[in-house]
Amino acid sequence: MSASWLFIILLAIPTAGAAACLAARTPAAALWTVFAGVVLHATTALSAARRVLALGPMASNGEWFLLDALSAWHLIVMALVFVPASFYAITYFRDETASGALSLRLARRFGALWFGALGAMTLVLISNNLGILWVGIEATTLLTAFLICLHRSPTSLEAMWKYLIICSVGVAFAFMGTLFVAASASRTLEPGDALLWTKLLDVAGSLDRVMLEVGFIFLLVGYGTKAGLAPMHTWLPDAHSQAPAPVSALFSGFLLNSALYCVLRYLPILERATDYSGWAPRLLVVFGLISILISAAFIIFQHDLKRLLAYHSVEHIGIITLGFGLGGLGVFAALFHTLNHSLCKTLAFFSAGRLGQVYGTHDMSRISGALRAAPLWGLGLFASLLALIGVAPFAIFMSEFQIAKAAVDDAAYVPLALFLLGGGVVFIGALRHVVLMAWGAPPDGTRPERACSCEWLLVWLPLLALLGLGLWMPHSLYDALSQASAIVGGHP
Amino acid sequence: MSAWIDGVLVTLILTNLAVLGSSRLNACIRIIALQGVVLGLLPILVGEGAPTIRMTLLTAATMGLKGAVFPWLLLRALRVAGIRREVEPFIGYNWSVLAGLLSLAASVWLGGRLPMPETARSSLVGPVALFMIFCGLFVIVSRRKAITQILGYIIMENGAYAFGVVLLEEIPVLVELGILMDAFVAVFVMGVAIYHIQREFDHVDVDQLDTLKG
C-alpha cells in the first residue's frame, strides 16, 4: 500500500464511521459501529506505525502528510486509548440504552462526534503542515464539546461552555504562534513552504530567532491550555468530571496528549535555531513544575472522584512536560510515561464511571467498600490509583524514576526537589482517598455489581500491561521510544 | 497598495474601540460584521497585480463568513434565545474604551520591537494584531453575557487572520480555508451552546455559571 493511500484510509475510516453512526437504527447499533470502526482504524494505524518504526518515515501528497517515529508512537498510544474506550462505552451505556435514557438521537450524536474526534486527532498526528496541525486541534475542541454535555444538565452545560471558550481562546493563541513561526522563515523559505515542519527543521539554523521565540511562547500557552498545563488548566476538572466516563477517559487518555504533541513538534526547531541553548526546554520545565505543584494542592482537598482523576491528569501532563524539558533520558522517559499514564488513566476513569453508576454519586465521602460493592471495578480503581501515584512496580513508577534520574544527570536539583515534593504530596493525599474508598462497609442499598467476562479484560489487560512494563521493557518498545525521542531531541 | 492596507488596519482598530464603547448587543454584532467585511479586503489588497483566483476566493469566503454568516448566526441566537439587548459589562463603557486605548499604546510599543520580515506589507500589522488579541480577551472577561464572549473570540480570530494575511505572502489556500472553516464551526457550535444554556438556565450570564469549582 502506498503512503498516500494509507493517509487517505486513516482519515476516511472516521469519516465513513461518522456517517454510518448517523444512519444507525438503534442506539446499540450506533455504539457497536463505533467499536468496529475504531478497531479497523486502530489496525490500520498500528500496521502503519510498525512499518514506520521498521523502515523510516513516510511522507506523501506534496509533503502535506508525514508519519515519523514520533507520530507513530502517538498513533499507537491513541489506538490503545480509543479501542478500550469504545468497548467500554458499550458496557457503560448498556443500562441507559435498555432504559431508553440514551435515545437514538443521543447515541447517533455520540457515535458521530466520537468518530469526529478520532479523525481530527489522526489529522493532527499525520500532518506535516503546521497550519493543518492547528486546524486539527481546533477541530477536536469543537467536536468534543458536545460530548461533555451528552446528558444535558446545568453543570454539564457549564463545563461545556467553559471548555469551549477557554480552549478556543487558547488555541487562537496557538494560531498566532504558528504565524510567528512561519514569519520567522520568510527570509529562508519559499512562502508556500513556511508552514512545512520538515522544511522548517532543515533550515532551523537560519530562522529569525526573536520571531521564533515569541512564537513559541504563544504556542506553549495556546496548546498548553488544551493540554491542561497549569495555570491554564481551569477548564479541565470541570470537563472531565461532567462528561460521561468514556468521554472523560478519552479526554484524559489522549486529547491532552495530542495537544502536547503539537508543542513537541516545535521543540526540535527551537532547539536547533537556538544552538541547543535549552531556552525552550526550560520553559517546559517551569510549566511542568507549576502543573505538578498546583494539582498536588487540589488533590489533597478533593471531594469528587472524577475531579480527583482530572487533577491527576494535570499532574501527569506536568510530569510528562517536565521530562521533555529535561531532555536526554527525560524525553525517553516522558514518552514512556505518556503510554503508561494513558493506559492507567483510561482504566481509572472506566472504574470511576462504573462505580459512579453503582453508588449513584462521585462524591468520595459516600463511596466506601468499593472492593466489596463492585469487586472488579473497585479493584480497577484501587490498582489504577495506586499506579497513578507512583507505587512500584507499576510502569508509571519506572518512568517517573527515569525522569528523576534525568534531572540528576542534568544537575537540575531544584526541579528535582519540587518534582519529588509534588509527587510526595500527591502520594499521601491520594492514598488517603484510595484507602477510604476501597475498604469499609458499602452503604446500604448498593446492589453488588456483577461484571461480565469482557469487562474483566478491560480491567486486567491494562493492569497486567502496566505491571509487565514496569518489570521488563521489550526491545521493540525500547527501539520505538529511542527513535521517537531522537526526533524530539532534534539532534541531526 | 500599502496606504490601502494601512487604511484597513486602522479601520480594524476603530471597529474594536466602537465595540468597547457600545451598549447594544445588536450594534456590537453589526460592528463586528463590518470588521469582517473590511478584513475580507485584505487578501486582495496585499496581492500585487491583478487579483488571482486564490485571492478572490479567500476574499469572498472571508467576507461571506465574517460579514454575513457570523452576524446572521449571532443575531438569530439573540432572537431565538430571547436575550436582552444590553451588553451589561462588568467594566463601564468609558473605562472599557480607556482600557482599549491603553492596550493600543502597549501593542504599538510591543509590536514595534518585533523584527518584522521584509515580506510584511505594512509595519502596522504587528501592533494591530496584538491590539485585537488584547481587545478580544478584554471583551471576553469584562462582559457578562455568553454571546459577548463569542464576539471577543471573533475579534481575536480576526486579529490573527489579519496578521497572517499581511505578514505571510502565501499560505496555501487549503490551510486558509481550513482556518476559516474552523472559525465558522466554532461560532456555530458556540451559538448552539448558547441556545441550550438559555433553555436550561433561563439566562446566559456567564458570571452565574459558577457551580463547578475546586
Side-chain angles (χ1 to χ4, degrees), chain A residues 48-62:
Chain A
R50 233 182 75 186
R51 191 169 120 180
V52 166
L53 291 171
L55 302 174
M58 289 195 281
S60 81
N61 300 61

Side-chain angles (χ1 to χ4, degrees), chain B residues 84-97:
Chain B
R84 272 173 299 136
R85 302 302 159 101
E86 283 87 53
V87 170
E88 297 181 77
F90 298 121
I91 300 170
Y93 304 108
N94 293 333
W95 287 108
S96 299
V97 174

Side-chain angles (χ1 to χ4, degrees), chain B residues 132-154:
Chain B
M132 291 185 76
I133 286 185
F134 285 140
C135 255
L137 280 177
F138 185 79
V139 168
I140 289 175
V141 297
S142 70
R143 302 289 188 260
R144 178 165 292 144
K145 294 231 169 68
I147 204 153
T148 40
Q149 297 194 323
I150 307 185
L151 293 180
Y153 171 73
I154 296 177

Side-chain angles (χ1 to χ4, degrees), chain A residues 113-422:
Chain A
L113 292 177
W114 189 268
F115 272 122
L118 175 68
M121 289 180 198
T122 312
L123 183 66
V124 168
L125 293 185
I126 62 177
S127 68
N128 185 36
N129 186 306
L130 297 173
I132 298 294
L133 187 82
W134 180 87
V135 169
I137 285 288
E138 173 74 7
T140 58
T141 310
L142 303 171
L143 288 164
T144 48
F146 279 101
L147 285 176
I148 297 175
C149 60
L150 195 69
H151 298 306
R152 192 159 301 138
S153 70
T155 45
S156 73
L157 279 168
E158 179 185 332
M160 182 269 267
W161 181 256
K162 286 181 182 165
Y163 170 65
L164 200 54
I165 287 294
I166 296 178
C167 286
S168 297
V169 167
V171 174
F173 270 85
F175 182 48
M176 274 301 278
T178 310
L179 293 174
F180 271 115
V181 170
S184 76
S186 60
R187 241 167 289 157
T188 32
L189 285 179
E190 294 291 311
D193 293 344
L195 282 172
L196 293 178
W197 182 80
T198 35
K199 302 264 177 174
L200 279 170
L201 191 64
D202 283 343
V203 299
S206 51
L207 297 177
D208 185 294
R209 202 170 145 170
V210 176
M211 286 298 250
L212 202 57
E213 290 181 348
V214 173
F216 188 72
I217 293 174
F218 272 92
L219 287 162
L220 186 58
V221 170
Y223 288 133
T225 307
K226 191 76 193 286
L229 286 175
M232 297 88 73
H233 68 289
T234 46
W235 62 273
L236 192 148
D238 297 350
H240 283 57
S241 62
Q242 295 306 313
V247 178
S248 315
L250 179 63
F251 271 41
S252 195
F254 200 70
L255 185 80
L256 308 181
N257 297 107
S258 66
L260 198 58
Y261 165 85
C262 300
V263 178
L264 285 190
R265 278 285 162 200
Y266 289 93
L267 203 55
I269 300 177
L270 259 291
E271 276 293 84
R272 272 193 203 179
T274 56
D275 294 325
Y276 302 95
S277 67
W279 177 83
R282 265 200 299 280
L283 283 180
L284 290 187
V285 169
V286 171
F287 273 105
L289 288 173
I290 295 177
S291 308
I292 295 173
L293 293 173
I294 287 191
S295 57
F298 278 92
I299 281 173
I300 307 178
F301 300 107
Q302 200 44 251
H303 302 290
D304 184 284
L305 176 55
K306 285 175 87 180
R307 290 182 83 85
L308 176 79
L309 295 179
Y311 279 109
H312 272 296
S313 298
V314 177
E315 187 215 351
H316 284 276
I317 285 291
I319 294 175
I320 293 170
T321 310
L322 172 68
F324 286 128
L326 289 171
L329 174 67
V331 176
F332 180 93
L335 287 168
F336 186 34
H337 197 81
T338 304
L339 170 72
N340 300 337
H341 169 251
S342 293
L343 282 179
C344 192
K345 191 51 77 58
T346 41
L347 172 61
F349 269 114
F350 292 168
S351 313
R354 294 290 275 166
L355 287 176
Q357 288 176 333
V358 172
Y359 287 91
T361 177
H362 291 119
D363 185 347
M364 289 191 284
S365 62
R366 288 166 58 194
I367 298 177
S368 61
L371 284 173
R372 266 199 279 163
L376 179 67
W377 297 110
L379 170 78
L381 185 75
F382 179 62
S384 60
L385 270 172
L386 284 189
L388 276 177
I389 61 179
V391 169
F394 288 109
I396 287 189
F397 169 77
M398 285 312 293
S399 43
E400 286 181 355
F401 178 74
Q402 286 166 347
I403 289 173
K405 187 166 177 301
V408 174
D409 289 350
D410 217 25
Y413 296 115
V414 175
L416 176 68
L418 293 174
F419 169 42
L420 293 180
L421 172 72

Side-chain angles (χ1 to χ4, degrees), chain B residues 47-64:
Chain B
E48 285 154 352
T52 59
I53 298 176
R54 168 181 175 274
M55 292 171 198
T56 327
L57 186 68
L58 275 181
T59 295
T62 313
M63 282 189 176

